[in-house]
Amino acid sequence: MKAEFISDNLKLAINVLDIAQSHVKSDFARLKTSLNPETGVIDSAILVAGDTVVIEHLLPVVSDEEVEFGFPISKLKPITSDPPAPKVTMVNTETGVKIKCGSYNAKIVLPLLDACPSFLYNLDCPFKIKSGAQFAAAIRKVKSSIFTDSAGVKQAARKIIDGVMLVGNGSMLKLYSTDNNRLTRSSIECALNESFVIPREAVIAAHQLLEEEDTDNVAIGLRYGGQSSAINGFRLIAGTSRLTSGVMAGKPPTNIEEFFTKELPHHVKIDANNLKKAISRLRVFSADDSLFIKIDSNTQNIHLNTSNQSAGEAADVIIGSDNVGPTRTISVNATYVLDAIATSTKLLLENDQSAIRITHLDCPYNTQHVIGQMRQ
């Protein structure tokens, strides 16, 4: 078999496959050329990598026969990162694959070829996402509530939902994440009408895939199985790539929306960049990442302060607007606040004695974060 690829196409494919490989120890990938039934010509190849999270990428090829073989991704990275020629040629032999790109020549010994996972097939994706960029942003907003650890919270004490919960009502798809100390919600338009949890590896990979592909050709699909016909598979299509993963069963708590809709006694609008700068200045004085936020009812000011017996104490003041409600002071985790406001410019801060709620006023995905009072 001889197959010829455009170097830039193969580079994108390797970058996409590397997303799946970052979650497993294996360096193994699979390449399969396919016959176009309409033209009778072998004009495409599919590259597959991963195990629990599988990513496939379709790219054009010029080939003389249908073939399937495995190869280590790391052996192709040197070629695709800085290709010496516009085309890459692969020749499959009995003992390995010969690779040529301009003056570069290599031979890869073929690993044993296992069967493709059965869940890769017969899984349609009928639920379209209007904007791939918005879906990527929605995932980015919620995924920080799963992954970021903090000096202020003991890891062993955290009850983590190890993934992102997706809840569809037929018109809007809501994404939830929590680590039992904070809760984040984002949403996007989609006709899906199901509830399930995508595991953390798939969440990371999906976000990276959407940003790598940078396309609005995005859709998702579900696989059902077992005696109860429950959801047991999830697929995301993004451009010429698709991600397939298992899912975890799950339905949102009946009162989860109350955290985002209940009226809080105090709210103020604030510039996110000013808040980021102030917190960054104050954090060096905090021993446990704690931050006291006081919203003054008599002014438009937000008072921030923190202290450390060995380092001293520090305070800062930010001017807000549309300040309503009684004066409140609450202690929260500084890292959690920075995670919540990382990609925003205009915020609405609301709080009571037990939590602070942050709403992104400049975000079309209806993103909100609820951060509980820090345990003393």
Side-chain angles (χ1 to χ4, degrees):
M1 183 280 293
K2 179 179 179 181
E4 189 176 78
F5 302 90
I6 302 298
S7 297
D8 287 345
N9 292 344
L10 191 58
K11 178 179 181 178
L12 175 60
I14 297 302
N15 289 343
V16 167
L17 295 187
D18 202 37
I19 294 172
Q21 295 307 90
S22 63
H23 305 293
V24 297
K25 294 181 179 179
S26 171
D27 187 34
F28 180 78
R30 174 193 305 272
L31 184 146
K32 185 179 187 300
T33 58
S34 300
L35 179 72
N36 186 327
E38 296 182 359
T39 62
V41 176
I42 300 170
D43 59 7
S44 65
I46 188 166
L47 279 74
V48 185
D51 51 9
T52 54
V53 178
V54 177
I55 291 183
E56 304 161 87
H57 184 84
L58 184 70
L59 71 164
V61 65
V62 177
S63 181
D64 54 6
E65 65 177 291
E66 288 187 282
V67 71
E68 183 175 359
F69 61 88
F71 63 92
I73 293 178
S74 59
K75 298 298 188 294
L76 286 183
K77 282 184 180 178
I79 314 169
T80 56
S81 60
D82 186 19
K87 293 183 180 180
V88 177
T89 301
M90 294 185 184
V91 179
N92 187 22
T93 69
E94 292 182 357
T95 58
V97 176
K98 294 180 179 179
I99 300 174
K100 180 175 176 58
C101 183
S103 59
Y104 177 88
N105 288 275
K107 184 176 181 180
I108 301 175
V109 177
L110 293 180
L112 294 175
L113 191 63
D114 298 323
C116 268
S118 59
F119 63 77
L120 291 180
Y121 305 103
N122 303 320
L123 184 52
D124 295 329
C125 295
F127 304 106
K128 303 295 184 183
I129 304 291
K130 182 181 293 186
S131 168
Q134 288 189 8
F135 193 31
I139 294 175
R140 182 174 64 249
K141 301 285 188 183
V142 298
K143 76 185 184 78
S144 62
S145 292
I146 316 171
F147 311 124
T148 304
D149 197 8
S150 169
V153 181
K154 292 182 179 179
Q155 180 74 16
R158 301 168 77 188
K159 298 177 182 178
I160 298 175
I161 295 177
D162 202 17
V164 168
M165 177 173 288
L166 275 68
V167 180
N169 62 7
S171 59
M172 295 296 295
L173 180 63
K174 295 181 179 180
L175 292 75
Y176 298 93
S177 64
T178 181
D179 62 6
N180 211 39
N181 297 285
R182 54 183 167 170
L183 175 64
T184 302
R185 182 193 69 180
S186 193
S187 59
I188 192 167
E189 292 182 31
C190 181
L192 186 66
N193 192 14
E194 294 281 6
S195 299
F196 56 96
V197 176
I198 303 177
R200 83 156 52 201
E201 291 84 1
V203 173
I204 301 171
H207 179 249
Q208 292 174 324
L209 179 61
L210 286 165
E211 293 207 328
E212 186 72 43
E213 282 283 359
D214 190 23
T215 177
D216 285 335
N217 179 23
V218 177
I220 59 178
L222 302 174
R223 185 171 71 102
Y224 301 82
Q227 295 181 346
S228 60
S229 296
I231 301 170
N232 60 11
F234 164 82
R235 173 167 287 169
L236 167 69
I237 291 178
T240 54
S241 300
R242 61 184 187 179
L243 175 151
T244 308
S245 167
V247 300
M248 298 179 287
K251 291 186 177 181
T254 54
N255 64 339
I256 195 169
E257 279 296 309
E258 293 180 11
F259 291 97
F260 302 103
T261 58
K262 72 176 182 179
E263 186 174 348
L264 298 181
H266 203 160
H267 64 79
V268 61
K269 292 179 181 179
I270 188 172
D271 181 270
N273 290 325
N274 291 338
L275 183 58
K276 293 174 199 173
K277 292 175 183 177
I279 294 176
S280 297
R281 289 191 292 265
L282 296 176
R283 287 182 73 191
V284 296
F285 286 88
S286 175
D288 58 1
D289 219 20
S290 62
L291 174 72
F292 289 90
I293 299 179
K294 176 184 176 181
I295 304 177
D296 192 342
S297 62
N298 298 316
T299 67
Q300 297 292 326
N301 296 339
I302 297 94
H303 299 265
L304 309 173
N305 67 80
T306 188
S307 62
N308 183 334
Q309 287 185 348
S310 60
E313 60 183 29
D316 210 334
V317 179
I318 303 172
I319 299 176
S321 63
D322 299 333
N323 194 342
V324 176
T327 298
R328 297 280 187 184
T329 300
I330 186 171
S331 174
V332 293
N333 185 287
T335 296
Y336 287 0
V337 177
L338 287 176
D339 285 344
I341 66 177
T343 57
S344 185
T345 57
K346 191 69 176 177
L347 304 170
L348 175 67
L349 265 61
E350 302 168 277
N351 76 312
D352 57 15
Q353 293 179 335
S354 62
I356 187 167
R357 185 167 67 206
I358 301 173
T359 301
H360 294 240
L361 298 178
D362 56 350
C363 176
Y365 335 114
N366 192 25
T367 299
Q368 292 179 294
H369 308 262
V370 177
I371 302 173
Q373 176 156 296
M374 196 164 180
R375 299 164 187 159
Q376 302 298 311

